[in-house]
Every structure is written in C-alpha cells, then in structure tokens.
Amino acid sequence: MSERKMKRVEDSLTEQSHLLMPKCLNAAGYLFGGQLLAWIDETAGIVAKRHAEMNVVTVAVDNMYFKAGAQVNDTIVLIGRLTHVGRSSMEVRIDTYREDLSGTRTMINRAYFTMVGTDEKQHPVEVPGLIIEGVTQQIEFEAAKKRANLWKVRRQEGF
Ligand SMILES: CC(C)(COP(=O)(O)OP(=O)(O)OC[C@H]1O[C@@H](n2cnc3c(N)ncnc32)[C@H](O)[C@@H]1OP(=O)(O)O)[C@@H](O)C(=O)NCCC(=O)NCCS
C-alpha cells in the first residue's frame, strides 16, 4: 500500500473577494444570505479541491453564523482554511469579512463546511492527510474532530 500524501493547511488556504453589487442585496438593502452562502460554498470547494487534487462535493454545513450585515459597495472578503481531514472528508472554516475604504475588515460570518473527495462516479475517495502545525491548528483540529464524531453518532442513532 502506498504511503498517504500529507499536505499543510497553507497549501490550500484560499482568499476570494467580491464587490457587493445591488443585485446581491435582499429587500432590506443588505447582503442577501443566499448569495453569501453560494460564495462560501464556492470558497470551501476551492480549498477542498486544492487539498484533495480531485473533484469534491459539499456534504454538510455546520455552524453557519451570520454575525453582521453588509451594504452595497462593501468589499466582501472570504478566507477559507482546512481545519480537519478524515479519510475522504475535509472540514473547511470560512470567515467572511466586510472591508471598508480604509481596508479595515470586520467579520460578518463564520461557517464550517464539510466537503468530500470523490471519483468520477461520485463515490468517496481517500484524500491527502493534513499536517497540523502549531497550537491554533491543533485546537481547530480537535474541535472539528468532535463535530465529525458527533455527526457519526447522530447518523447511528438517527437524531
Ligand atoms: C458526499 C457523498 C458522496 C458521501 O457518500 P456516503 O455514501 O455518505 O459516503 P460515506 O458514508 O463514506 O461518507 C463519506 C465521508 O463523508 C462524511 N460525511 C457523510 N455525511 C456527512 C455529514 N452529513 N456530515 C459530516 N460528514 C459527513 C463521512 O463521515 C465520511 O467521512 P470520512 O471518509 O472522512 O470518514 C454523498 O452523500 C453525496 O453524493 N452527496 C451529495 C453531494 C452533493 O451533491 N452536494 C451538493 C453539490 S456539490
């Protein structure tokens, strides 16, 4: 059996920016949550694809927290990083910021998406392992492992 390839969090770290246009607002004039969800999903997909070096799908969304709104002409910045890798699954944390004209960033959303590496028939495939560096990554990894285990218990017990 060949040894599992290992990669660092930095190898797949992704930052994406969008200018908030009127078409992306809700009726109250703020960033539409569904639009943000699509941007977050795209960022998570790029992070996971860069790590896995194969196609990926979104399997679950956990802890999506809308902390503040954003308005037209704000620059929306999304930063996605891996927190945990199992066999085929990868958890990505995506932090979203509103950036003002001076460049100051205010966090408006944090979400955790679970992505799965797949083959051409959309079956789960083993992805490279994750090298954990430093205390912060270790804490994130342990918390993500708890979330992944909780999902396994929920699936077993059907709640
Ligand atoms: C993702 C998919 C291939 C997984 O298939 P599956 O038969 O559930 O496969 P498994 O049970 O082996 O799960 C694969 C991995 O995902 C994890 N997983 C599955 N469902 C999960 C959930 N709801 N939450 C968290 N992790 C989950 C499993 O724990 C496993 O992780 P591991 O390999 O690291 O141990 C399948 O569910 C699927 O095709 N879903 C639709 C995806 C999609 O269309 N997304 C939207 C568009 S991108």
Side-chain angles (χ1 to χ4, degrees):
M1 214 172 82
S2 65
E3 213 167 282
R4 190 180 193 187
K5 185 172 178 177
M6 301 294 289
K7 294 175 74 173
R8 300 161 64 234
V9 173
E10 280 68 26
D11 295 332
S12 54
L13 190 79
T14 298
E15 176 171 325
Q16 284 196 297
S17 301
H18 302 270
L19 182 62
L20 191 46
M21 305 283 229
K23 63 181 181 186
C24 302
L25 303 181
N26 62 21
Y30 291 95
L31 169 59
F32 176 49
Q35 173 63 73
L36 181 56
L37 185 58
W39 286 338
I40 291 173
D41 194 28
E42 186 179 283
T43 305
I46 293 169
V47 171
K49 203 145 75 83
R50 281 181 171 159
H51 179 81
E53 300 170 12
M54 65 182 76
N55 284 328
V56 301
V57 290
T58 309
V59 71
V61 178
D62 198 2
N63 277 333
M64 181 130 182
Y65 173 37
F66 290 92
K67 191 170 152 52
Q71 286 175 301
V72 75
N73 207 26
D74 282 341
T75 299
I76 306 299
V77 181
L78 297 99
I79 300 177
R81 55 169 65 78
L82 277 173
T83 54
H84 180 265
V85 172
R87 193 189 83 85
S88 67
S89 67
M90 297 157 278
E91 189 192 71
V92 184
R93 185 182 105 202
I94 309 96
D95 292 333
T96 305
Y97 302 86
R98 173 181 73 210
E99 187 181 281
D100 67 19
L101 289 176
S102 72
T104 304
R105 291 179 178 183
T106 307
M107 194 166 87
I108 60 167
N109 190 284
R110 172 165 288 177
Y112 292 91
F113 274 40
T114 305
M115 319 299 287
V116 172
T118 55
D119 63 17
E120 65 287 348
K121 293 193 172 136
Q122 207 165 304
H123 295 142
V125 176
E126 183 178 276
V127 300
L130 190 63
I131 300 166
I132 297 298
E133 298 170 307
V135 180
T136 308
Q137 287 185 12
Q138 188 62 42
I139 291 169
E140 279 279 14
F141 184 84
E142 295 301 332
K145 206 158 77 176
K146 276 190 198 163
R147 284 188 288 274
N149 288 337
L150 259 179
W151 145 247
K152 282 175 185 164
V153 172
R154 280 208 306 265
R155 175 150 74 172
Q156 263 172 9
E157 298 185 1
F159 70 92

